[in-house]
Every structure is written in C-alpha cells, then in structure tokens.
Amino acid sequence: MKRMYPHLPLAALLIAICGVAGCFFSGKNPVVDPFPDILSLAVKDPAIADYFAVSPEGIFMYESAENKKAGQPEAVIYPDEYDRFVRLVYELPADSLLALYLAKASTHWPVDDDEPQAILPTDFISSGDSLLPLKGLRVALDPGHIAGDYETAVTEGKYIHLMPTPATYMQPVRFFEAGLTLATAWAVREELEALGATVFMTRTQPGKGALGLTFPEWKQTRWDSLMEAEKTEGTLTEAEIAKWKTRAEDKDIMSRFFTPEDLRERARKINAFHPHLTLIIHYNIDSPNWDQRDAAGRMSPTGQNYCMAFVPGAFMTGELARPEDRLAFLRLLLTRDLRQSVTLSDAFVRHSVAETGVPVVSPDYPLRYLQKASLPAGYPGVYARNLSLTRMVTGPVCYGESLCQDNIQESRSLSLNDTEIAGNPAPKRVKSVARAYVKAVKEYVEKEFTGKSSADHK
C-alpha cells in the first residue's frame, strides 16, 4: 500500500524549525492517535513556525514572531492536558473554546487522574443492526454555494455557460453548480438515511444559504449590520462603507460579506450537530479553461476531466494571524481529525473513480491551487488545503470535487433534468456521484469502527 505523507524532507525541515527533535508525541495521551509526520500536512509554509513550537513540555502557541522570541505564549497545552483539550474541542461551541484558549496563557489546568475518559462525538458506536448498519451515525452534508437560478450563479461566479460549438451540437449549454450540489446532497441523504444514519444538511432549498436567506434578502436584512460591526471593530471606516453602498457590484458584496458569513454559519451548524463525519459537496471547473472565458462569461467545452478531495491543513503565510486560526491549527495537531479526514477522503476518491469513471487529477496537471496552496496527502487525488470549511469544521472532513462540469460529456449530462431527486427534477449523472459519497461513508465506518459496539463502552 502506498505510504501516507511521503514528503519527509519537508517534515524533517519542520521538525527542525519547531524544535520537535522527535519528541512531539511523548507523554500520556491516550485520546490522540497521531501519525509522526503530521506537520508535513498541517504546514505549507515553514514561516508559520513563528506562531508555534512543540517540545516535550507541550505545544506553545504565539500571537506573533515577536512574542515567540520574547517567550510570551498565547496558550500552552501541556502533555497531561492533551486529552482534555481534545474533549473540549468537540464539547464546546467555537466562541467558548476560543475564550478558553485566549485565557490559557501558561497556566496549567488541574490534573484529575480520576476524570472519566468520555466517548468523543466522533466515536461511532455500532448498534449491531444488520438491516440498518449506520444506525446512530451522524453525517453532515454541505452542498456548496447557494444559487437557485442562473443569474445568482453568475453573481457567485459558479456557473457553466458553454458557447455553441459542434461539440454542443451548436446549442448553448447553461447550468450552475449550486443546483448540482443540492441535488447530490439530497441523493446522498436518501441513501444514508435508508441505512439508518441521521443526516443534517446546511441548506435544503435552492437559492438560500445557511441562514435561510436568499442573497437579496440577506442584503436587505443583514448587510448593514455586518458593516456596522466591522466599523466598530475598526476593519471598515465610514467612508469605506459609503463606497460599498454606492459603488459596489453584487458579485463583490457577495464575495466580501455574504459568503464569509454564510460559511461561518455552515460551520457553526455542522459543529452544533456533532457529526461523526462531514461531506462538503462541490463540482469542479477546469481552471485553465475557466481562465479563457470570453467577455460574456462563455467557455468552450473541454476534454479535461478529473476528481480530487481536500482535507484540512496546508496553512500558509498569514494564515495563523488570527487567534481562531491558531486554535484551528492546534486542533489539527491534537485530534484525530486530519488522519481520519485523509482516510475518509481516500475512500471517496477511489469510489468516485469507480462510480463515475472520472480519473484522479494528475499531480503534474497545471492547477495553481494544487501547486501553490495544497499539499499531497499521500494518496492519489487527496490534498490538504486550508479552505474555510476544512479549517472551521471539527471532526473528519471530505471536501469532494467529483468531476469537471465544463467537460464536454459531463456538461451534456449535467444540463439534463432526466431524473427526480427528493421530488425535484435533477440530472441523473449526480446519482453516480452520490453513490461514491455513500460508499465512502460505509468504507470509512468499516475501517474506523469495525468491531466496536455499545458493549465495548460499558
């Protein structure tokens, strides 16, 4: 079997920078089941070592390089606190955990050797029901984007518009990703629920985000208060607000204000659900082809097609500047989230290839986000990337990209409403994508939890 995390030269460099000296995982820590070169997936740019250090004495997080040089940690998690920190990650809301982190400094939590080892929310206990093998499993589904119509999809920048060519039978082809992801999520939900799983979706209606609002509704009811909050925090001036109100286009408003709030709400809802795993559902566009679109936003169909999946990690320069991001990084070091995300995502990519026939992306294919912002996770098509949701969602995460929508064969299939899912017209093609996610979940549960039952925890 191909070994996980093969890029040891980077791992060795990071170990030297951080002062790990082979001692990172020493000490009592029964909850954590780490792999020795975790830092090679968590760190894309060695410069972020200015914000942390790891030693036999614990993990030290710093607000800045200056604070690190001065020996003034923002928070220290000592080895005998690792277990407690892991439990707090899953038990506390994000704001409460952040407050606890910011109050930590170098203080030491009292040691309680008699404290019971709680079952983590990410530990699935099988019911042993052969007819409902996933009974008790909690799965969160995040259908990417929000558009319920083509115009909103253009505002999002997540649409397909292929110009008429002989390959399209001289007909224009138009559809949008948010419709595909929602249909896929409903198909996944139906199959998982039939197996006994409890499933949560961050959005269930076309055109509405995690707050249950369309973009125009959000703009009317939420935008002003967000800008006022930023003015109070000092990130926006009154003059800048006036410019946004009078000159900004909807696509810029959506990108700057709506989407970040929507993603935060998705993460909040997912974490409140305490899922055993989260599937973040997206479809891809061949970015070199997207870059060649004309002034009207039209592209030519492409022959390129590939699948991939993202897991947390690959923090880059500037991405540990905020305390919430440093806390997310610390979570990856101490929980099983990253390792389990790789296991889940590897299963998804393999089943995606089998179910759809779409090959894994070549590591040599010129995709800037793979080369500049990602790290290979040791399995074909699986990459660590510090995306908003891979960073904010706790527990195992698979951020799937099943195929390229602008591929000529895919575009023909995806533009058809030739089946029905959850009572709505949908392309039949998304059902094969959905099957890959479902099979990945089943394989993941078998690998991670086979043999575990409620009797094991009595």
Side-chain angles (χ1 to χ4, degrees):
M1 179 180 291
K2 189 173 181 181
R3 182 176 55 80
M4 291 176 66
Y5 321 117
H7 32 287
L8 285 178
L10 176 58
L13 172 62
L14 293 169
I15 288 173
I17 290 173
C18 302
V20 180
C23 301
F24 176 39
F25 296 112
S26 63
K28 179 184 176 184
N29 189 11
V31 169
V32 182
D33 183 16
F35 33 86
D37 48 348
I38 186 173
L39 289 173
S40 67
L41 270 190
V43 178
K44 173 68 173 175
D45 189 338
I48 70 168
D50 287 340
Y51 293 93
F52 72 97
V54 185
S55 78
E57 286 73 42
I59 301 178
F60 295 71
M61 303 299 299
Y62 298 92
E63 185 179 1
S64 65
E66 292 73 23
N67 284 25
K68 184 175 182 179
K69 289 177 183 177
Q72 297 175 341
E74 179 176 59
V76 182
I77 309 298
Y78 299 100
D80 61 354
E81 299 174 329
Y82 291 167
D83 296 345
R84 185 172 301 178
F85 175 83
V86 169
R87 291 195 297 273
L88 291 172
V89 163
Y90 299 116
E91 292 171 358
L92 294 180
D95 54 351
S96 299
L97 183 64
L98 180 61
L100 191 66
Y101 167 84
L102 291 174
K104 184 71 164 63
S106 297
T107 60
H108 201 297
W109 290 325
V111 176
D112 183 359
D113 291 330
D114 296 325
E115 184 177 6
Q117 294 297 308
I119 299 171
L120 299 179
T122 49
D123 286 337
F124 172 59
I125 303 172
S126 173
S127 67
D129 188 334
S130 59
L131 296 179
L132 298 172
L134 300 184
K135 185 177 180 180
L137 187 76
R138 297 183 302 277
V139 180
L141 304 179
D142 180 64
H145 313 299
I146 70 149
D149 55 65
Y150 181 77
E151 290 69 26
T152 304
V154 171
T155 302
E156 279 193 293
K158 302 296 178 181
Y159 65 93
I160 294 293
H161 186 177
L162 301 182
M163 60 185 70
T165 67
T168 68
Y169 305 108
M170 302 311 295
Q171 297 296 316
V173 175
R174 299 201 321 179
F175 57 91
F176 50 92
E177 184 180 352
L180 302 179
T181 63
L182 187 58
T184 306
W186 275 113
V188 173
R189 179 174 183 168
E190 289 178 345
E191 290 199 43
L192 290 178
E193 288 181 339
L195 296 170
T198 301
V199 181
F200 169 76
M201 290 170 56
T202 56
R203 68 181 186 94
T204 58
Q205 295 178 275
K208 294 186 176 183
L211 287 168
L213 302 172
T214 65
F215 176 65
E217 290 170 343
W218 171 91
K219 190 175 175 183
Q220 184 176 6
T221 61
R222 293 285 304 158
W223 186 32
D224 285 343
S225 61
L226 280 180
M227 288 194 293
E228 285 299 316
E230 289 206 24
K231 186 175 73 172
T232 301
E233 294 169 1
T235 55
L236 271 182
T237 66
E238 193 68 52
E240 288 170 334
I241 291 175
K243 287 182 179 178
W244 276 105
K245 296 289 287 184
T246 57
R247 303 181 191 177
E249 297 182 10
D250 276 351
K251 64 181 180 66
D252 298 316
I253 296 169
M254 180 174 276
S255 176
R256 171 65 175 79
F257 296 98
F258 174 87
T259 299
E261 183 179 42
D262 184 59
L263 292 174
R264 289 193 298 270
E265 180 64 10
R266 291 177 192 233
R268 186 195 68 78
K269 286 186 170 182
I270 290 171
N271 292 338
F273 177 64
H274 295 300
H276 292 102
L277 60 94
T278 298
L279 304 175
I280 302 171
I281 300 170
H282 282 259
Y283 286 79
N284 217 334
I285 292 179
D286 182 47
S287 56
N289 190 43
W290 172 260
D291 292 341
Q292 298 300 314
R293 66 192 186 281
D294 65 16
R298 300 176 302 180
M299 297 174 288
S300 297
T302 178
Q304 296 293 338
N305 204 7
Y306 42 79
C307 70
M308 65 187 74
F310 296 108
V311 300
F315 281 73
M316 299 172 65
T317 300
E319 293 183 346
L320 288 184
R322 303 184 309 162
E324 53 264 44
D325 297 332
R326 294 190 289 275
L327 179 57
F329 180 83
L330 180 61
R331 170 178 64 84
L332 294 184
L333 297 186
L334 284 175
T335 67
R336 298 175 294 175
D337 289 359
L338 185 48
R339 177 183 66 81
Q340 291 181 321
S341 294
V342 172
T343 300
L344 174 63
S345 298
D346 170 52
F348 164 73
V349 168
R350 286 186 286 100
H351 286 294
S352 185
V353 172
E355 293 296 325
T356 68
V358 177
V360 172
V361 64
S362 167
D364 300 321
Y365 190 64
L367 296 175
R368 181 176 176 81
Y369 54 86
L370 290 187
Q371 297 167 351
K372 302 295 185 182
S374 305
L375 288 168
Y379 292 102
V382 182
Y383 293 85
R385 187 179 176 192
N386 190 25
L387 297 162
S388 294
L389 287 183
T390 61
R391 179 175 64 255
M392 293 189 291
V393 170
T394 59
V397 172
C398 170
Y399 188 116
E401 301 266 14
S402 303
L403 52 82
C404 292
Q405 302 164 86
D406 51 337
N407 172 270
I408 181 56
Q409 286 81 18
E410 301 291 3
S411 64
R412 291 172 181 161
S413 298
L414 296 172
S415 62
L416 300 174
N417 286 325
D418 49 355
T419 192
E420 188 176 278
I421 298 174
N424 296 304
K428 185 185 299 182
R429 178 61 165 159
V430 305
K431 289 190 172 183
S432 59
V433 173
R435 284 195 299 272
Y437 283 107
V438 173
K439 289 188 175 183
V441 171
K442 293 170 66 178
E443 179 182 321
Y444 173 80
V445 169
E446 290 170 1
K447 281 187 174 181
E448 291 291 316
F449 305 113
T450 295
K452 293 184 180 180
S453 69
S454 56
D456 297 323
H457 298 273
K458 291 180 180 178

